[in-house]
Amino acid sequence: VQVMESGGGLVQPGGSLRLTCEVSGSGFNIGAMGWYRQTPGHQREFVAVRSSGGVTNYAGSVKGRFTISGDSARRTVYLQMNSLKPEDTGVYYCNAGVVRLGRPVADAWGQGTQVTVSS
């Protein structure tokens, strides 16, 4: 299972970024896919998740500003981040639930992509 994130970068406060996560490999299915982040001085925290059926959920701190979307058949998920704030700065990680024979067996993580919000 390989999880690859892209789309991070430097943006000014109030700006937007779009992150992309793609899962590759064979012999498994993917359940929910989501985003987590680790901001300076804090532990990794939940940001947003999208189930294989398209149901979404968000952390309170990003609700109304971030939108998660994706294509389950293509094992891809996106995170559209608008109205970015300096406190959104951190490393953003993609998480994918690995399913084999109809059962969840593991969580797969990407290496992360840096998002920096600064003027």
Side-chain angles (χ1 to χ4, degrees):
V1 182
Q2 289 189 325
V3 181
M4 182 75 71
E5 305 103 335
S6 61
L10 172 65
V11 64
Q12 292 187 343
S16 298
L17 279 176
R18 188 192 197 209
L19 306 183
T20 299
C21 173
E22 297 173 289
V23 176
S24 60
S26 61
F28 59 91
N29 292 316
I30 293 296
M33 293 181 68
W35 293 93
Y36 290 71
R37 67 186 181 188
Q38 187 158 14
T39 56
H42 294 86
Q43 292 185 332
R44 191 175 298 188
E45 63 178 4
F46 166 76
V47 175
V49 66
R50 179 184 181 275
S51 74
S52 58
V55 178
T56 60
N57 193 24
Y58 298 89
S61 60
V62 307
K63 195 172 292 185
R65 300 188 297 123
F66 291 10
T67 302
I68 188 169
S69 62
D71 185 334
S72 297
R74 296 186 177 183
R75 299 175 172 181
T76 301
V77 70
Y78 309 97
L79 186 68
Q80 178 66 42
M81 304 185 293
N82 298 328
S83 302
L84 281 161
K85 305 175 181 180
E87 51 264 42
D88 294 318
T89 294
V91 180
Y92 283 68
Y93 297 91
C94 180
N95 171 271
V98 180
V99 178
R100 288 195 174 98
L101 300 177
R103 295 183 177 183
V105 294
D107 279 323
W109 293 90
Q111 292 191 333
T113 184
Q114 176 71 43
V115 171
T116 303
V117 185
S118 175
S119 55

